[in-house]
Amino acid sequence: MSDLTTTQPQSNIHKLSASILKASGLLWVFLGLCVVAALLSPAFLNPANLMNVFRQVALYGIVSVGMTFVILTKGIDLSVGSILGVCAVAAALLLTGGWSPWLAVVVVLLIGSGLGAVNGIGVAVGRVPPFIMTLGMMVMARGLALTLANGQPIGLKDAAASFAWLGRGALLGVPVPVWIFAVVAAIAIFVLRYTPFGRQIYAVGSNEEAAHLSGISVNRVNFYVYVISGFLAALTALIFVSRLTVGEPTAGTGIELEAIAITVIGGTSLFGGEGGIFGTIIGAAILAVLANIMNLVGISPFTQQIVKGAIIVGAVLYEMQRKRK
Amino acid sequence: MLLEAISKGSQTFDPTMILQMAGIAKSFPGVRALDGVSFSVRRGEVHALVGENGAGKSTLMKILSGAYQSDRGVITFDGKVVALPTPSQMIGLGIAVIYQEFAQAPHLTVAENIFLHRLPRTRFGLVDWKKASLDARGYMERLGFSVDPLARIDRLSVAQRQMVEIARALSRNAQLIVLDEPSAVLGDNELQKLFATIRSLQNEGVSFIYISHRLKEVFDISQTVTVLRDGKVVNSTATRQMTTDELIRSMVGRSIGDYFPARNPKFGAVVLKVTGINRGKILKDISLTLRGGEIVGICGLAGAGRSELLRAIIGADPIDNGRIELHGKELTIDTPRKAISLGIGFAPEDRKTDGLFLLQSVSFNITISRLRDFLSAFRLDLGKERKAAQDFAARLRVKTPDVDARIGNLSGGNQQKCVIAKQLNAKCDVLLVDEPTRGVDVGAKREIYELLVDLTERNGLAIVMVSSDLPEVIGMCDRILVMCEGRIAAELAKADATEEAIMKHATIH
């Protein structure tokens, strides 16, 4: 009782740092991994290599932020890879069709959000389990991408130059995708921590019935997290297309699994209501560094998959053990 | 050590006792849960075990069931010292513990649940379904229930499921059955049926340990009562030599004075007026008015439509027709969101599944109902939010290290206070509470009563309280509505409200 009255005035900085500390176990894992990487291969600390790692963290990280929102509500989004594919094709078609890059960007982002909105309506209004709804969307959107592209990659050709900045440009020596990820992550952290919508995401993920009875519009929350996830998939698609100068209908295949793995390694609970963006950032960094070391020391991509899979199971196993305690 | 235990056990062995637990001690890191507890159950008696939450009841029962090992002490069952109790050994000896949450497989049948793990076999080693179902029916009929042994468990009522648990205990030749808060899930007539079953089994020589927070039940069913407080036995006597006051005093270690706080109500204008609500066969032509500062009780058997009425008012369940007026204005309330924004708060019956975000902090749980008061521009002012949560916690006397603690770690009474705080944070002037003191210990019950009375008298809140605890309704409410099969069967003024009158209206259709 008395503790309540003796607590010092509370600063937000304090709470923020507390949540960073919570993710700090992971931070040590990440730093340890970097040390190991540097010891195993001197090329790891090469600036060009580090830039590559950062770029990869950024690309997977952006999609994973959307995935984190969805998983916090106890949902899952299997369709982000396919939505990315549709958006990549759409971007290439619009740009080669002579659209201004700015307009193309806006339309592509709307397409991604729209496909996400379909997921959201299915889950929130139709009460379709998220796994099934987004599995269906995963198959449908991939089909849509292949149909739009006629099964062929679409090169940007002349349009490539005007669209290069997004994927290949740099600002103050830092690649543009990394800036974009930083902005996305900062907004996401702000939304989850400092807005009623963020609170409602945690509430819905913790206990949907209690959230409903507490006056939260559960449908609205469930709808918007899929829109956000679709939007961020579209944003990633734009970076892909700009970087590769080609819109491939198969772009993003399997990225949903990477994003789920990153989110889970980052400590967000698949049962909803627990976790956050800090963990997801570190999760993305851990997976990127790991892939990078294995490439540098020449482990075959086949073996890499085995390692990656084992790490995902290991991360969840660790989490469950910690909770049981 | 073992020899000493055996000799000690034989020295004090009393053949009229089915169970003797002597000098039981158990410590957890930082807590001494049981401190030299001696507890005996006579053959064929119902022995009530009472005490506040945290008094050590569940630890003692876990030691009895073999789930925990005691640090010290001797258990003698049916004349033999139990050297190293394990769960399977205790079941084998004839001790069955029936917890509040049943250990049942919901998708399996009654027969399968009764004989789980040991279904009867035919000569060929296959399951003998005919025998299983015949035996299951036999056990259920012995308990006075006729249930299809092939019915799936999740299609049965809670009362029937409880009987399946007892049948399973009997099928294992249980001589001592522990019932942990059996009434928490039962309506009043179902409870009477359970009592009848207990009494008939008692005549067959089965003994019971009966754990309950509802003292009336203790007096109705038990022959002996033992009170635990802070891990020690503070009282153990024949129930008929005990009074309610004395029992409460031993449980809380102090005199509570009048159990229910004195009421000095000042009624204001009509706040909520409900006219002619219908919902299928569940609610039939319900009307009620509620004035500011008033506490109206709703009684009835389980299934009479009490909780459903509250859910209909807040828009959690759809209604077929009927009018709801708030402060004289007719409104359509089709979602709980709308009810809350209009100032109608609801504390649901099942805190854990419907009321709380167990993973989140105390503060999160309190402020979630209305966050916009803490917004400055587009940003939540976390300091302001925390301050508000602290103020509620202090005012409602929530016992928690601080408001950042996980609400799942708080006791039931403190969780309930937080659920009420959540409604107050939403600035409600009508509060609907469903079984506000279920599973709450005596001391915290009293605090919740005081809180509800204080809210009506100081803040002019209007409260509707659904409860199965009749003394509570009679002690707290200014008016009592009795529901029966979806209708309001009677309205009783405080002066006319007796348990007999309420039960008469609740059971006569």
Side-chain angles (χ1 to χ4, degrees):
Chain A
M1 268 315 315
S2 58
D3 294 352
L4 283 174
T5 45
T6 55
T7 320
Q8 317 86 344
Q10 180 67 24
S11 73
N12 306 332
I13 313 273
H14 176 82
K15 276 199 111 172
L16 203 66
S17 62
S19 90
I20 296 173
L21 268 179
K22 229 187 264 171
S24 74
L26 271 177
L27 202 58
W28 287 114
V29 172
F30 169 66
L31 292 176
L33 207 58
C34 290
V35 172
V36 172
L39 292 176
L40 282 178
S41 164
F44 177 74
L45 291 176
N46 184 329
N49 182 58
L50 283 181
M51 277 305 149
N52 255 331
V53 173
F54 274 127
R55 237 181 239 119
Q56 204 198 333
V57 171
L59 278 179
Y60 287 126
I62 294 170
V63 183
S64 304
V65 166
M67 190 64 77
T68 306
F69 273 67
V70 173
I71 290 180
L72 279 175
T73 64
K74 215 177 192 166
I76 192 97
D77 189 350
L78 299 176
S79 67
V80 283
S82 298
I83 291 179
L84 197 158
V86 172
C87 292
V89 171
L93 285 175
L94 293 175
L95 289 166
T96 50
W99 286 50
S100 100
W102 289 109
L103 206 55
V105 164
V106 172
V107 171
V108 167
L109 291 177
L110 282 177
I111 291 173
S113 312
L115 292 172
V118 175
N119 281 332
I121 290 169
V123 171
V125 184
R127 304 258 136 215
V128 183
F131 187 94
I132 299 299
M133 183 65 225
T134 60
L135 179 70
M137 177 58 76
M138 170 172 131
V139 179
M140 284 190 290
R142 187 62 69 193
L144 181 61
L146 289 162
T147 309
L148 286 176
N150 224 348
Q152 297 296 315
I154 302 165
L156 293 192
K157 298 176 202 119
D158 309 339
S162 64
F163 198 59
W165 183 76
L166 202 56
R168 281 176 289 166
L171 205 68
L172 305 173
V174 176
V176 172
V178 176
W179 283 110
I180 295 176
F181 176 49
V183 171
V184 166
I187 294 175
I189 288 168
F190 179 83
V191 167
L192 286 181
R193 177 169 295 277
Y194 292 107
T195 68
F197 177 63
R199 283 305 169 78
Q200 291 166 357
I201 288 177
Y202 283 97
V204 168
S206 305
N207 186 341
E208 210 174 282
E209 182 60 20
H212 178 60
L213 292 176
S214 302
I216 292 169
S217 173
V218 174
N219 285 355
R220 185 175 146 263
V221 173
N222 276 335
F223 172 76
Y224 277 117
V225 290
Y226 291 96
V227 174
I228 290 169
S229 182
F231 174 89
L232 292 176
L235 187 59
T236 311
L238 291 169
I239 300 172
F240 257 62
V241 171
S242 165
R243 186 157 174 73
L244 304 174
T245 68
V246 61
E248 280 185 281
T250 55
T253 304
I255 203 172
E256 62 281 343
L257 300 180
E258 294 278 343
I260 293 167
I262 285 169
T263 307
V264 168
I265 288 173
T268 296
S269 164
L270 281 173
F271 306 106
E274 273 185 305
I277 302 298
F278 285 113
T280 299
I281 296 170
I282 300 174
I286 287 176
L287 273 194
V289 169
L290 202 72
N292 188 249
I293 311 175
M294 292 195 287
N295 281 333
L296 289 177
V297 298
I299 293 174
S300 91
F302 307 141
T303 318
Q304 289 191 20
Q305 290 192 19
I306 301 175
V307 175
K308 214 188 267 174
I311 285 175
I312 294 166
V313 176
V316 176
L317 207 60
Y318 169 77
E319 186 67 17
M320 298 315 273
Q321 293 304 317
R322 194 184 59 84
K323 251 187 218 154
R324 199 170 296 163
K325 195 179 61 175
Chain B
M1 174 72 193
L2 191 65
L3 272 176
E4 183 200 358
I6 290 169
S7 64
K8 197 178 166 198
S10 57
Q11 267 164 24
T12 57
F13 171 62
D14 176 349
T16 62
M17 295 293 176
I18 180 80
L19 170 75
Q20 287 180 285
M21 299 175 87
I24 304 287
K26 176 78 184 172
S27 292
F28 298 103
V31 198
R32 179 172 291 175
L34 292 176
D35 188 5
V37 168
S38 294
F39 176 71
S40 303
V41 179
R42 203 171 294 279
R43 286 176 201 275
E45 78 167 345
V46 176
H47 193 135
L49 181 63
V50 298
E52 293 194 274
N53 289 341
K57 290 171 301 184
S58 4
T59 310
L60 188 65
M61 289 305 106
K62 281 190 174 146
I63 288 171
L64 178 61
S65 70
Y68 287 167
Q69 299 284 321
S70 61
D71 302 337
R72 276 187 292 113
V74 187
I75 302 176
T76 315
F77 190 77
D78 204 7
K80 290 184 222 38
V81 171
V82 187
L84 269 174
T86 62
S88 58
Q89 194 190 352
M90 294 318 239
I91 290 171
L93 284 174
I95 299 173
V97 183
I98 297 173
Y99 295 102
Q100 260 182 76
E101 276 102 32
F102 305 140
Q104 290 174 337
H107 302 302
L108 300 185
T109 64
V110 170
E112 285 168 307
N113 270 285
I114 291 178
F115 298 110
L116 215 59
H117 305 312
R118 353 157 259 121
L119 281 159
R121 300 294 171 98
T122 64
R123 275 182 299 143
F124 307 109
L126 300 174
V127 173
D128 186 347
W129 289 111
K130 204 184 266 173
K131 183 167 162 42
S133 126
L134 217 63
D135 288 358
R137 190 185 290 279
Y139 282 117
M140 291 305 282
E141 276 169 3
R142 189 171 150 201
L143 298 175
F145 276 69
S146 81
V147 173
D148 177 7
L150 298 180
R152 263 172 58 162
I153 280 286
D154 55 2
R155 305 271 158 79
L156 301 187
S157 74
V158 184
Q160 289 170 323
R161 294 181 59 177
Q162 195 169 48
M163 285 303 145
V164 171
E165 287 282 288
I166 296 177
R168 169 154 60 179
L170 293 179
S171 77
R172 290 168 162 170
N173 298 315
Q175 298 184 61
L176 174 65
I177 298 178
V178 181
L179 296 168
D180 185 7
E181 294 269 353
S183 59
V185 290
L186 299 182
D188 228 85
N189 62 337
E190 293 166 332
L191 185 64
Q192 292 312 320
K193 255 184 137 169
L194 173 68
F195 282 179
T197 308
I198 291 176
R199 291 194 183 104
S200 85
L201 289 173
Q202 243 184 306
N203 290 334
E204 298 177 27
V206 179
S207 317
F208 289 87
I209 297 174
Y210 191 96
I211 301 176
S212 180
H213 281 302
R214 297 198 199 155
L215 303 184
K216 187 176 177 304
E217 293 167 13
V218 170
F219 287 101
D220 284 351
I221 192 70
S222 74
Q223 285 82 52
T224 314
V225 56
T226 293
V227 183
L228 280 181
R229 187 172 80 226
D230 301 331
K232 294 193 184 78
V233 173
V234 290
N235 206 337
S236 187
T237 44
T239 311
R240 61 190 148 73
Q241 290 169 4
M242 184 74 102
T243 64
T244 310
D245 286 346
E246 197 185 340
L247 197 54
I248 292 170
R249 208 160 41 239
S250 0
M251 284 166 73
V252 299
R254 63 191 142 85
S255 180
I256 292 199
D258 282 327
Y259 191 46
F260 297 102
R263 284 282 281 147
N264 182 20
K266 283 186 286 290
F267 299 142
V270 170
V271 183
L272 178 73
K273 186 165 185 223
V274 171
T275 324
I277 284 189
N278 283 294
R279 180 185 164 215
K281 290 182 175 164
I282 298 162
L283 298 175
K284 295 171 199 157
D285 194 27
I286 304 262
S287 300
L288 68 90
T289 55
L290 186 64
R291 288 167 294 172
E294 191 176 30
I295 303 181
V296 171
I298 299 184
C299 294
L301 307 176
R306 299 168 303 171
S307 305
E308 290 77 6
L309 172 57
L310 300 191
R311 289 180 60 90
I313 293 174
I314 62 150
D317 294 334
I319 53 173
D320 303 335
N321 51 42
R323 282 160 58 98
I324 296 177
E325 288 167 54
L326 198 66
H327 300 293
K329 258 203 310 208
E330 186 176 350
L331 299 159
T332 316
I333 300 176
D334 46 8
T335 58
R337 182 179 172 73
K338 188 148 181 206
I340 286 176
S341 71
L342 291 167
I344 305 179
F346 173 54
E349 173 178 4
D350 193 330
R351 282 189 296 277
K352 289 206 160 111
T353 58
D354 299 342
L356 294 168
F357 305 100
L358 290 171
L359 297 171
Q360 313 295 345
S361 68
V362 169
S363 160
F364 182 105
N365 273 277
I366 292 176
T367 58
I368 190 75
S369 57
R370 186 180 164 110
L371 288 162
R372 69 184 131 107
D373 290 347
F374 312 115
L375 276 178
S376 55
F378 291 104
R379 184 175 178 285
L380 284 175
D381 182 340
L382 300 186
K384 195 171 164 193
E385 181 201 2
R386 192 183 150 87
K387 179 76 179 49
Q390 281 174 336
D391 289 348
F392 278 120
R395 181 172 163 214
L396 274 58
R397 290 194 267 163
V398 178
K399 287 182 198 74
T400 175
D402 62 64
V403 292
D404 299 323
R406 260 197 197 194
I407 201 157
N409 297 338
L410 268 53
S411 72
N414 286 306
Q415 288 180 347
Q416 183 68 319
K417 290 180 199 166
C418 293
V419 173
I420 293 173
K422 174 167 73 177
Q423 313 308 328
L424 300 181
N425 176 65
K427 298 192 164 50
C428 67
D429 45 19
V430 176
L431 181 60
L432 314 179
V433 290
D434 197 352
E435 302 285 0
T437 62
R438 169 167 292 177
V440 168
D441 66 48
V442 173
K445 261 189 191 176
R446 165 81 194 194
E447 287 184 1
I448 289 172
Y449 296 147
E450 281 171 356
L451 170 66
L452 294 178
V453 165
D454 185 58
L455 289 174
T456 57
E457 290 178 4
R458 257 210 301 173
N459 303 40
L461 241 73
I463 294 180
V464 177
M465 177 166 134
V466 165
S467 175
S468 304
D469 188 335
L470 296 184
E472 166 178 300
V473 180
I474 295 169
M476 287 287 294
C477 299
D478 305 313
R479 257 190 310 142
I480 295 170
L481 305 178
V482 185
M483 287 187 74
C484 179
E485 298 190 338
R487 289 179 198 285
I488 292 184
E491 175 171 341
L492 302 171
K494 191 178 182 98
D496 308 329
T498 61
E499 291 186 34
E500 293 71 29
I502 293 173
M503 285 316 296
K504 196 183 91 196
H505 290 297
T507 47
I508 293 174
H509 344 299

